[in-house]
């Protein structure tokens, strides 16, 4: 690679940084014999950067200028195992809520407070399959009550504050049983900058958000958010399931950023790519081995698309655990979690191949006669009026509430408003809950769809909601375990317009 600076141009902290694409941008330029090879690895670098740094607290796309990148990215001795050039690999991804390097104005704008120090608000394990053709991302809830080596039992996000990157790696290794080959740490400003560099991000929420702490509000629907608002969206816990809802939003945002970063509009636009470079590199900290060969890894990921990236969350047995310290925490379902990590070790896919006939193309048969398994009190529903009948959405919401369901957001409306039959739509893995909803609405049809939660589209033949009885099994010694989380691809996570 040949690098030269034109016209005496110097790169400073306030400058746009490295320019790509020729002397018209007055900066770094690739020699012609290396350009084709560099572009061949571009997709891989974008996948690496997006997965490494679009995790709630930091985001970005790493570029192919190895000398410049190496000089900008910080490295740390994280106690990771390293890896061969090929073969399966696990990367611990940590989003750090670092405040002591922010100005007071930035702290006030982002509602981060003024405490000095760092906390990990996000932890994910990224698994690359042996042939590096598939990527699995497992979210670890920040409130997971686990054993921190040498420190006793604590929330998993405390490992970083108690012992930095090395202890965070050890804690995750002990909890999951996985070898951690590499470590990537990102911070809050990188997330904001990369979202803005990409022109914003598209998100969709099935429920209203009203965060009293930050003042961030959002009605149900699909929205384009800038960097600061996207940060609020990804960080807020002001919904019914708190941190678990936040994990869903994080995975949605990562998927959307990954899609936008890989889009032709970004790849073919030197200005956008330059903005991504200058806004990202200084926000990353990686283990020493990865810092030396980040581009080699990225080159192996050049063919990965959003269809090849799967997201899931550690299965939980108790989402309202009271720790001996009095803290509210969550407990993993040890059996289900052990099976999840066994499957990851074995490179087993978590997402089934798409069926030949789309599940959302036509309604499923009427709810089966099999016994219902999920009671209304555990099911949150969004109501959408699919007709021109004024007030039908509000009426349906009230009747669902009386039947014991949770309906946390105001009713919406479809476009066009011409539905005759009432439809219960649900995401993959939520069929049992959807069956309960459909059983409570006589004549309703079931349909699996790419929606974030269970949704009732009310048709003109809606005749009301009735109460249903669900015979629950004997209560276990701890609160009922959550159903094993369904894995979804990045493509499935992306909001449909």
């Amino acid at each position: 690679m040949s690098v030269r600076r034109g016209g005496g141009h110097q790169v400073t902290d306030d400058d746009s940084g490295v320019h790509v694409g020729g002397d018209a941008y007055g900066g770094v330029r690739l020699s012609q014999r290396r350009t084709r090879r560099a572009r061949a690895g571009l997709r891989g670098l974008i996948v690496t950067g997006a997965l490494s740094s679009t995790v709630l607290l930091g985001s970005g796309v790493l570029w192919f200028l190895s000398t410049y990148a190496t000089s900008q990215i910080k490295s740390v001795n994280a106690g990771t195992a390293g890896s061969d050039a090929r073969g399966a690999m696990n990367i611990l991804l940590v989003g750090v809520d670092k405040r002591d390097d922010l100005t007071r104005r930035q702290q006030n704008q982002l509602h981060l407070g003024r405490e000095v120090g760092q906390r990990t608000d996000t932890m994910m394990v990224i698994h690359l399959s042996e042939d590096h053709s598939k990527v699995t991302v497992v979210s670890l809830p920040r409130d997971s009550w686990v054993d921190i080596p040498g420190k006793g039992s604590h929330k998993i996000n405390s490992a970083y504050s108690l012992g930095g990157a090395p202890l965070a790696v050890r804690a995750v290794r002990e909890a999951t049983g996985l070898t951690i080959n590499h470590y990537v740490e990102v911070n809050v400003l990188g997330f904001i900058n990369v979202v803005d560099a990409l022109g914003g991000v598209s998100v969709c929420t099935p429920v209203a958000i009203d965060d009293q702490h930050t003042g961030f509000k959002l009605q149900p629907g699909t929205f384009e958010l800038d960097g600061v608002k996207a940060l609020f969206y990804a960080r807020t816990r002001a919904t019914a399931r708190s941190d678990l809802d936040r994990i869903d939003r994080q995975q949605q945002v990562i998927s959307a950023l990954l899609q936008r970063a890989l889009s032709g509009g970004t790849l073919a636009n030197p200005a956008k790519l330059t903005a991504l470079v200058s806004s990202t590199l200084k926000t990353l900290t990686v283990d020493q081995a990865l810092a030396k060969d980040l581009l080699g890894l990225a080159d192996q990921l050049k063919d990965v698309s959003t269809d090849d990236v799967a997201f899931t969350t550690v299965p939980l047995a108790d989402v309202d655990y009271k720790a001996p310290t009095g803290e509210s925490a969550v407990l993993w379902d040890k059996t289900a979690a052990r099976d999840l990590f066994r499957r990851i070790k074995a490179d087993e896919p978590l997402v089934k191949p798409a069926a030949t006939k789309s599940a959302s193309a036509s309604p499923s048969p009427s709810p089966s006669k099999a016994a219902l398994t999920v009671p209304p009190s555990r099911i949150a529903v969004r109501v959408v009026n699919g007709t021109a009948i004024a007030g039908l959405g509000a009426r349906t919401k009230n009747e669902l509430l009386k039947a014991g369901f949770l309906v946390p957001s105001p009713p919406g409306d479809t476009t066009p408003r011409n539905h005759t039959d009432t439809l219960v739509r649900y995401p993959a893995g939520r069929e049992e809950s959807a069956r309960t909803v459909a059983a409570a609405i006589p004549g309703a049809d079931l349909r699996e769809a790419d929606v974030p939660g269970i949704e009732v589209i009310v048709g003109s033949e809606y005749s009301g909601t009735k109460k249903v009885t669900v015979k629950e099994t004997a209560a276990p010694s701890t609160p009922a375990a959550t159903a094993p989380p369904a894995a979804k691809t990045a493509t499935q996570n992306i909001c449909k317009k």
Side-chain angles (χ1 to χ4, degrees), residues 340-358:
L340 169 65
F341 294 121
R342 177 198 60 77
R343 294 176 63 188
I344 289 174
K345 278 185 180 180
D347 262 355
E348 295 180 13
L350 301 184
V351 179
K352 295 180 180 178
T356 303
K357 183 178 180 180
S358 173

Side-chain angles (χ1 to χ4, degrees), residues 45 59 64 83 88 122 134 150 158 175 181 197 200 223 234 345 357 389 429 434 490:
L45 284 164
S59 172
F64 49 78
S83 62
T122 302
K134 301 289 183 182
S158 68
N181 302 100
F223 305 90
K345 278 185 180 180
K357 183 178 180 180
I389 304 173

